[in-house]
Amino acid sequence: MRLLKKTNINFMGAKQLTALLSIALIVAGIVSLVMKGGPLLSIDFTGGTIAQIKFDQAVDVAKLRNTLGEYGFTNAEIIKFGSQEEVLIKTQFSGSSNEISEKLTTALGDTFTLRRVESVGPKIGRELQQDALVAIGLALMMILIYIAFRFDAYYALGSVAAIIHDVLITLGVFSLLSYEINLSIIAAFLTIVGYSLNDTIVVFDRIRENIPKYMKKTLTEIVNLSLNETLSRTVITSLTTMMVVVILFIWGGEVINLFAFALIVGVFIGTYSSIFVASPVMLYFEKRSKGNPRK
């Protein structure tokens, strides 16, 4: 199935404009992160408590948050969980399960059933931060090595530039919207890395196939041709993936809402970067290569 047939879009002709757009988005995100002192981290990384509570009747979230605040559960995040009577409470308050249960009983009386309590200490939170950074760093390094062996070093630079571009913009969007980063968002970032890389490899593979086929064309012309030939596949893949994550975002519930939102941003940015970031960066370094006769 081909959604788009025989397109002849000059993608590389727009590389300066798209470069400015990417830089503007990245700078906006970095400025937001600096002004806010870094990303807004969940208790997974800072330490705190998660309590799942079921009430006897429907919950007024605003009233519940105010009540909890009066008893030491400041800045509590409350998410309706499954039904109108059940909520998930995330708070920076830490203590043993018994202490938290007693404090909740003092604050809320006997109108609820405590389903579960999970505590994350500050030390564990710091370890999770380090593990998350190591996971992303290792993923980028292995991708760099893989692409360098499969294609060459310049293709590897293009693919890693696209991945870093995608993660920075997604992280910037979360900072601008004041959305917190938790372990599921780290999983979303790694998913975005895989999605963006897959799209980029398809384009790079077509470029490699076309280089010996079109000996009289310049490298820029071959890159444009390859992008047009893979455009239908790129659009169809992105649309079908986007449909799934949008459905998850709308009807998946609060628990996976931010995960789905991260994927929506990541799929959109990943599709854009495979065309307007990975290929132009690869083309720039290939053209600067002294040993490349087809500039």
Side-chain angles (χ1 to χ4, degrees), residues 15-89:
K15 61 185 178 182
Q16 291 182 338
L17 179 63
T18 54
L20 289 174
L21 175 61
S22 294
I23 291 169
L25 291 172
I26 291 171
V27 168
I30 291 174
V31 169
S32 176
L33 286 167
V34 171
M35 291 179 64
K36 294 179 179 180
L40 180 62
L41 300 176
S42 74
I43 66 169
D44 294 335
F45 301 113
T46 61
T49 301
I50 299 175
Q52 184 179 339
I53 295 176
K54 184 173 178 61
F55 288 90
D56 298 334
Q57 55 187 4
V59 182
D60 184 333
V61 172
K63 185 177 179 180
L64 176 60
R65 183 177 292 107
N66 291 335
T67 301
L68 291 173
E70 293 174 2
Y71 286 87
F73 295 96
T74 55
N75 299 321
E77 179 185 355
I78 301 173
I79 301 171
K80 288 192 175 180
F81 190 83
S83 66
Q84 295 296 315
E85 296 83 23
E86 197 162 356
V87 296
L88 201 66
I89 300 172

Side-chain angles (χ1 to χ4, degrees), residues 149-152 155 203-213 222 226:
F149 273 103
R150 179 166 176 178
F151 298 97
D152 65 33
Y155 284 79
V203 174
F204 282 176
D205 211 35
R206 184 58 61 90
I207 292 171
R208 185 175 61 174
E209 290 175 1
N210 283 336
I211 286 175
K213 286 172 61 178
I222 290 173
S226 302

Side-chain angles (χ1 to χ4, degrees), residues 123-183:
K123 183 178 178 180
I124 296 174
R126 284 193 297 273
E127 289 177 356
L128 288 174
Q129 287 185 49
Q130 294 170 2
D131 290 345
L133 291 174
V134 168
I136 294 174
L138 282 175
L140 291 177
M141 185 177 70
M142 296 304 293
I143 288 166
L144 188 66
I145 295 170
Y146 168 73
I147 300 294
F149 273 103
R150 179 166 176 178
F151 298 97
D152 65 33
Y154 303 126
Y155 284 79
L157 289 173
S159 61
V160 171
I163 290 168
I164 293 172
H165 167 277
D166 299 344
V167 172
L168 283 178
I169 289 181
T170 306
L171 186 61
V173 169
F174 268 68
S175 179
L176 288 166
L177 297 176
S178 296
Y179 288 165
E180 73 173 15
I181 306 294
N182 55 34
L183 286 175

